[in-house]
Amino acid sequence: MTYLHSIGEYFIMIKDAFVKPTKGKVLRDLIFKEVDDLIIGSLGIVAFISFFVGGVVAIQTALNLNNPLLPKSLIGFAARQSVILEFAPTFISVIMAGKVGSFITSSIGTMRVTEQIDALEVMGINSINYLVFPKIVAMMIYPFVIGIAMFLGIIGAYTAAVYGGFAPSEAFLSGMQEDFKPFQVFYAFFKTYLFAFLLATIPAYHGYFMKGGALEVGKASTSSFVWTAVAIIIVNFIVTQLLLS
Amino acid sequence: MIEVKEIRKGFGDVEVLKGFSTTFQKGQTNLIIGQSGSGKTVFLKTMLGLHKPDSGQIIYDGTPYSNLDEEDQRDLREQIGMVFQGSALFDSMTVEENIAFPLKMFTKMKKSERIERANVVIDRVNLENANHKLPSEISGGMQKRVAIARAIVNNPKYLFCDEPNSGLDPNTATIIDNLIREITIEYDITTIINTHDMNSVMEIGDHIVYLQKGHLAWEGDKTQIFKTDNEDVTNFVYSSNLFKMVREAQLSKNSI
Ligand SMILES: Nc1ncnc2c1ncn2[C@@H]1O[C@H](COP(=O)(O)OP(=O)(O)OP(=O)(O)O)[C@@H](O)[C@H]1O
Ligand SMILES: [Mg+2]
């Protein structure tokens, strides 16, 4: 019952984020600020993780290729598939649920407990639009981050495979181009857009509707991470079922 | 003018406002007093529409708030200034940006005009050398003054203050009280102030509402409050030692 209530509240919040917008110029400034906080601020960690996870994928694949009949190009193929299909979009998004998500929940939650949201409302400002809409818009650039993650993931795999002596460069590159299906890239970016929306809205919901004081802000951040991660995994499952099988 | 009609508000099964009516006239300072936990903040927030009343009505210059659709409610709120008990400053903005914020949202002023107007009110609340600081970098009393400046910057028609001078030294508190009263009279606005400061009551108590456990237990002005035979009000008024001493001195003088 309370879950149903929360889900209803969540969708009403999303609707409210799009009505009675704040003045254009103010909104534009807010969006730039969110791009800075949510997108630019995440590039470093995303780059770091992608590169090394890509490397590990290559090494693992190489170590499991015991059969000498299997071509070394398989390493490039496997790295491309796993990085583009899952590691970049899903794995990175779950990590972002921790980074971006807890940032959103705690910043909105702090505004709730210190009555800053009430202050916005009293002035006649649609606080949901003011706080949530710029985050949704900023997160629409998020697939760009995932694009970088894919690129660096494959670079990482190449580096580990070639410089680690697991496969010659030509074999890796030919494997990487083998049986390339553009639809899979579409699939990866399609789900990334959905994740971006979840990453902006679920943590915002947890911050906006939280009750209590500073202690509860911490708890809200934790549960926001859990629910965002769960939602990402479920949506990933559904989208994969629908588009790839 | 704000009329309150049989207002009731509870949370869960605890009723905080237990059904009372009163009228707050414009051009005078209206005070809501009462002990901690008596429901002053809840009353203020209910009048503002931040809490939805369970029953009863709040009437802004003839228009019941509950009759307004969401859009009209927002239009009305643009004419409201509110000083929160905890200041509620936007902590990502500097003092000057906080104060200019309502102007940025609701006027067509250019940036330079906004800054100019902000500095007029900054002067009025005696806030020096803080324009470019963040709320976390100034003292609690200064935060209060920023909150007051932000509330009055856009010339509101209705001004609500939740304990505007708690946490201020007596001198600044008096300055703030008088400032609020001056603005109220000058712009003929409806001002409602929550307080438990007896100095404020003596200074600016044009109309005083005494809340007790969610009931309106007494109302009157600052001369009447010292003569009332309502025991709870008298206990509240004379709870401070200073007032007690003054009263005893007076009583003994009378008995001579
Ligand atoms: N959001 C809320 N949910 C549940 N109960 C609340 C809520 N807000 C206030 N109350 C309860 O309402 C009662 C009145 O609180 P209120 O904050 O109005 O007191 P107050 O008169 O402003 O006190 P103070 O002088 O300390 O500020 C308290 O018992 C409080 O616990
Ligand atoms: Mg209070």
Side-chain angles (χ1 to χ4, degrees):
Chain A
M1 196 54 219
T2 52
Y3 286 124
L4 279 180
H5 177 77
S6 299
I7 291 170
E9 216 170 36
Y10 170 73
F11 283 108
I12 291 171
M13 179 196 84
I14 290 172
K15 188 204 92 208
D16 284 347
F18 291 90
V19 297
K20 297 188 201 69
T22 312
K23 226 165 107 172
K25 238 169 58 195
V26 177
L27 215 47
R28 196 195 57 199
D29 291 351
L30 290 170
I31 291 169
F32 280 134
K33 192 174 170 306
E34 299 295 353
V35 169
D36 197 32
D37 284 340
L38 305 179
I39 303 292
I40 310 289
S42 303
L43 288 177
I45 179 88
V46 168
F48 175 80
I49 293 172
S50 313
F51 185 83
F52 284 99
V53 167
V56 168
V57 168
I59 296 171
Q60 294 280 17
T61 317
L63 292 179
N64 287 297
L65 279 183
N66 295 324
N67 190 334
L69 289 176
L70 290 172
K72 292 287 180 212
S73 64
L74 214 55
I75 299 174
F77 178 75
R80 184 199 77 204
Q81 289 299 83
S82 47
V83 167
I84 289 185
L85 294 180
E86 290 305 326
F87 278 111
T90 314
F91 185 73
I92 296 287
S93 293
V94 169
I95 289 171
M96 286 300 110
K99 186 185 181 294
V100 170
S102 61
F103 173 76
I104 292 177
T105 305
S106 58
S107 62
I108 297 183
T110 304
M111 291 187 73
R112 168 61 77 198
V113 301
T114 57
E115 299 183 310
Q116 293 175 52
I117 291 180
D118 285 343
L120 288 171
E121 284 291 324
V122 162
M123 290 177 192
I125 294 165
N126 176 359
S127 60
I128 294 184
N129 172 267
Y130 184 91
L131 294 169
V132 182
F133 181 75
K135 293 182 173 61
I136 296 177
V137 174
M139 285 304 277
M140 291 299 108
I141 309 177
Y142 176 69
F144 167 74
V145 176
I146 295 305
I148 293 177
M150 290 171 178
F151 179 73
L152 289 175
I154 292 172
I155 298 281
Y158 178 87
T159 310
V162 174
Y163 296 100
F166 295 105
S169 174
E170 307 80 63
F172 186 94
L173 290 177
S174 77
M176 212 186 83
Q177 290 160 25
E178 207 177 292
D179 196 23
F180 177 74
K181 293 195 189 77
F183 181 73
Q184 293 183 340
V185 177
F186 166 80
Y187 152 81
F189 278 104
F190 177 76
K191 67 181 186 180
T192 302
Y193 266 105
L194 297 181
F195 297 162
F197 190 76
L198 297 175
L199 282 171
T201 52
I202 296 179
Y205 169 80
H206 278 91
Y208 192 88
F209 289 99
M210 66 157 294
K211 293 191 170 67
L215 184 65
E216 281 79 7
V217 175
K219 286 186 189 155
S221 298
T222 311
S223 68
S224 142
F225 166 70
V226 171
W227 284 112
T228 312
V230 166
I232 286 173
I233 299 295
I234 293 175
V235 167
N236 186 39
F237 181 78
I238 295 173
V239 171
T240 307
Q241 275 286 325
L242 290 178
L243 292 187
L244 292 192
S245 62
Chain B
M1 183 175 76
I2 297 176
E3 292 163 88
V4 177
K5 294 249 157 76
E6 277 305 313
I7 196 77
R8 280 179 191 277
K9 175 67 193 170
F11 298 99
D13 43 9
V14 186
E15 191 159 54
V16 179
L17 305 179
K18 295 172 182 160
F20 57 83
S21 308
T22 184
T23 301
F24 300 109
Q25 299 289 352
K26 65 177 179 176
Q28 65 175 27
T29 38
N30 299 285
L31 265 49
I32 300 167
I33 61 171
Q35 280 169 5
S36 191
S38 55
K40 302 186 294 294
T41 299
V42 172
F43 184 33
L44 218 56
K45 288 191 174 179
T46 308
M47 283 193 277
L48 286 162
L50 288 174
H51 294 317
K52 198 175 178 309
D54 297 334
S55 69
Q57 272 191 326
I58 307 295
I59 303 168
Y60 280 80
D61 285 315
T63 313
Y65 187 86
S66 55
N67 286 10
L68 300 173
D69 62 23
E70 221 173 303
E71 190 125 348
D72 290 335
Q73 284 180 5
R74 288 189 195 282
D75 288 344
L76 172 69
R77 284 177 174 189
E78 287 179 24
Q79 307 173 351
I80 293 176
M82 166 77 183
V83 179
F84 284 86
Q85 194 162 357
S87 296
L89 302 177
F90 302 120
D91 40 33
S92 58
M93 300 180 197
T94 64
V95 164
E96 198 173 75
E97 286 166 347
N98 259 287
I99 296 172
F101 183 77
L103 303 175
K104 189 175 172 187
M105 299 303 283
F106 303 118
T107 70
K108 294 198 167 66
M109 285 186 187
K110 286 202 287 285
K111 188 162 186 211
S112 57
E113 294 170 316
R114 296 200 298 261
I115 301 291
E116 196 185 314
R117 169 71 190 149
N119 278 292
V120 170
V121 284
I122 286 173
D123 276 348
R124 279 201 92 155
V125 296
N126 270 329
L127 202 67
E128 278 160 12
N129 301 325
N131 284 29
H132 301 291
K133 289 191 174 140
L134 291 171
S136 57
E137 298 167 344
I138 59 177
S139 74
M142 287 166 93
Q143 290 175 4
K144 269 272 149 66
R145 281 183 270 177
V146 177
I148 293 168
R150 183 178 69 183
I152 62 176
V153 73
N154 198 18
N155 296 324
K157 243 174 109 179
Y158 310 96
L159 180 61
F160 293 80
C161 306
D162 200 352
E163 314 213 2
N165 56 19
S166 68
L168 297 179
D169 60 276
N171 205 7
T172 313
T174 309
I175 292 172
I176 293 291
D177 278 344
N178 287 321
L179 170 72
I180 293 172
R181 185 142 191 269
E182 273 167 39
I183 293 164
T184 303
I185 295 168
E186 195 176 322
Y187 298 109
D188 202 22
I189 59 184
T190 307
T191 300
I192 303 175
I193 305 165
N194 274 358
T195 184
H196 35 215
D197 181 5
M198 280 309 296
N199 285 317
S200 301
V201 171
M202 286 177 63
E203 199 82 43
I204 58 169
D206 295 335
H207 172 218
I208 302 161
V209 167
Y210 178 76
L211 286 193
Q212 191 181 33
K213 297 193 183 106
H215 293 286
L216 192 161
W218 181 88
E219 62 185 318
D221 68 20
K222 65 182 172 190
T223 50
Q224 290 162 340
I225 198 168
F226 291 101
K227 295 176 194 149
T228 173
D229 46 16
N230 182 317
E231 214 167 297
D232 297 318
V233 177
T234 313
N235 282 340
F236 180 84
V237 168
Y238 294 108
S239 56
S240 110
N241 273 332
L242 184 62
F243 277 96
K244 227 180 275 172
M245 279 155 59
V246 172
R247 189 188 200 200
E248 274 156 16
Q250 242 165 10
L251 288 178
S252 62
K253 206 161 61 187
N254 290 348
S255 62
I256 292 171

